[in-house]
Amino acid sequence: MNPKRTAAVTLAATSVVLLAACGDKTPSCADPATVSLVQQIYQQSFDKEHASMSPERQRSVQITNKNTKVTLESITTARSDESTGKKTCSAVLMAVMPQDAIPTDQRMLNHLRGTYEPQGAALDGNTVKGNVTYTVQRTEDSKEILVKLTGHLAFMGLFHDLAMLRVFDKSEAEIAKIAGEAPLATETKPAEPPPPEVSPATQPAPAIAASTPANTVPAAAPVAPPANVTAAAPAVTVPHLCSAAETPIFACSTGKKRASVCAGRADGSEQLTYRIAPLEGAVEMEYPSGGAGAASAFQRGSQVSQDGAAVNFLSFDKGNYRYVVYAGDGENGRKGVMVEQGGKRIADLRCQGEAMSRFDPAQLQKMGLSIDSRTLPLQ
């Protein structure tokens, strides 16, 4: 008889799957049919979580997942009920990760261990391990094999975080190389004579490639800022990701990516939008995506850095992540985007080269932004 599987899996602590099969004897914990059902439960849970992610997160996780196999090892029978035939089993889910998926920052490793080890998942070298428990028995009416799995969500969470960290702050070219994708074809152009030398004072800003979705704030004709958003400031020619109807209040390149905060109005309310994109690619993240007002989507804050300079920032939370766009006082003040996960800093993308910011705490307060009292842990 060919087995026929029917499953009902949710992202709860326990997931269940049934296998219709002939016979009355309950398979053992290590029986191939049992192991197959446990792996099926895990995969269906993984697929359900994957489908709920944003497209950019799906791509990031899939790059690692497509070449990583999850196995069930160290299987033992913890308990066997002779009256019902039910067996309680213990095992370890395992996945060998690519070496470049393992963080080299000891603080990040400590954060991951502190988060997942209490839940039963751990990182051993480049292998993710997760303790799981499952039961196997036959139903009394249909004699189907019933398997219930618990403990797998911590393993899945650690796998997801490592997959995301593997490509975080990578350029599109680097991500394509990791994914084994063919690079975009480029046209061969005849060599051009070198441009005449000009003095640094008169040299124009470098041109942005045609494929880059960045605009520039024109130096000669600055866009008038919306009311209650920015203080008067000299215009700066800096590439940004704002539309023609928006005004950039923050823009810079972090070396591999371009980040912007754009101000605008919609339906009579002030709006702020954060965008980030690879230098050569399209916007990969935009927040908020539903046109929410600035007051409900962002918070504001300020603090004094170690060198005594004031640092103003905008922040927002997205799931377990906190994003902070910060700018120190003055044109040469430190600027960048910091990202935290679970209260621990995982990235500090500092602006390099040209950057601009027009964060005015008083104007942001008028927009209704509440104060973010959490610290800004800059190095």
Side-chain angles (χ1 to χ4, degrees):
M1 176 178 178
N2 292 327
K4 179 181 179 182
R5 290 183 173 89
T6 59
V9 177
T10 61
L11 284 182
T14 302
S15 297
V16 184
V17 71
L18 293 171
L19 171 64
C22 297
D24 296 320
K25 184 179 179 180
T26 299
S28 67
C29 292
D31 188 276
T34 305
V35 172
S36 176
L37 289 176
V38 172
Q39 291 174 320
Q40 180 183 335
I41 292 174
Y42 172 80
Q43 189 60 50
Q44 290 181 342
S45 295
F46 186 97
D47 292 344
K48 186 177 181 69
E49 174 69 7
H50 191 73
S52 69
M53 298 176 181
S54 63
E56 64 269 14
R57 187 176 176 91
Q58 286 183 356
R59 181 195 178 202
S60 298
V61 172
Q62 186 59 26
I63 287 172
T64 298
N65 181 58
K66 67 180 182 180
N67 295 321
T68 306
K69 182 179 180 181
V70 176
T71 60
L72 194 67
E73 310 288 345
S74 303
I75 301 171
T76 60
T77 302
R79 187 167 58 255
S80 180
D81 188 333
E82 297 298 333
S83 62
T84 63
K86 180 179 179 179
K87 293 180 175 63
T88 302
C89 317
S90 297
V92 178
L93 284 172
M94 297 181 64
V96 178
M97 305 292 287
Q99 191 60 49
D100 63 349
I102 309 304
T104 56
D105 186 339
Q106 189 60 45
R107 292 171 301 179
M108 174 51 60
L109 286 173
N110 291 340
H111 166 62
L112 292 173
R113 290 184 177 120
T115 300
Y116 289 105
E117 286 184 1
Q119 302 178 52
L123 187 60
D124 182 6
N126 66 327
T127 302
V128 178
K129 298 181 178 180
N131 297 324
V132 295
T133 300
Y134 57 96
T135 61
V136 56
Q137 67 183 119
R138 285 191 181 274
T139 59
E140 295 181 2
D141 51 354
S142 61
K143 301 302 180 182
E144 292 177 310
I145 298 174
L146 174 67
V147 172
K148 295 182 180 181
L149 174 66
T150 61
H152 58 294
L153 297 185
F155 173 90
M156 188 168 66
L158 179 54
F159 183 97
H160 277 159
D161 283 354
L162 290 171
M164 288 295 297
L165 290 170
R166 185 186 183 195
V167 297
F168 190 83
D169 195 29
K170 295 291 193 302
S171 67
E172 276 298 312
E174 290 172 318
I175 293 175
K177 183 177 180 180
I178 293 173
E181 299 170 353
L184 296 176
T186 56
E187 295 182 2
T188 302
K189 297 182 179 180
E192 298 180 359
E197 293 187 2
V198 294
S199 67
T202 59
Q203 186 173 0
I208 304 301
S211 60
T212 303
N215 306 305
T216 57
V217 184
V223 180
N228 299 333
V229 175
T230 61
V236 182
T237 304
V238 177
H240 61 84
L241 301 170
C242 303
S243 69
E246 297 172 321
T247 299
I249 64 172
F250 178 92
C252 82
S253 165
T254 65
K256 297 178 181 178
K257 300 202 177 187
R258 193 182 313 285
S260 297
V261 177
C262 310
R265 293 183 65 87
D267 299 325
S269 65
E270 303 285 356
Q271 290 189 337
L272 295 175
T273 304
Y274 167 83
R275 298 185 181 98
I276 190 166
L279 294 182
E280 306 89 0
V283 172
E284 64 182 16
M285 176 181 171
E286 178 178 288
Y287 176 89
S289 58
S296 62
F298 290 86
Q299 290 184 295
R300 60 185 172 89
S302 62
Q303 69 179 43
V304 178
S305 62
Q306 293 180 351
D307 59 4
V311 179
N312 298 311
F313 63 85
L314 288 171
S315 66
F316 63 89
D317 292 271
K318 190 174 182 182
N320 195 35
Y321 294 86
R322 177 195 182 206
Y323 293 79
V324 184
V325 183
Y326 62 87
D329 279 350
E331 290 186 10
N332 298 322
R334 178 177 174 180
K335 301 174 179 65
V337 180
M338 188 204 69
V339 184
E340 290 182 325
Q341 182 186 24
K344 301 290 185 179
R345 184 183 63 228
I346 62 173
D348 184 4
L349 312 180
R350 300 186 185 183
C351 295
Q352 301 178 19
E354 290 184 307
M356 62 82 66
S357 65
R358 295 176 182 172
F359 290 167
D360 185 331
Q363 300 297 344
L364 295 175
Q365 181 180 5
K366 290 181 180 179
M367 294 175 67
L369 272 66
S370 61
I371 295 177
D372 185 349
S373 59
R374 294 168 293 183
T375 59
L376 179 60
L378 300 177
Q379 289 183 329

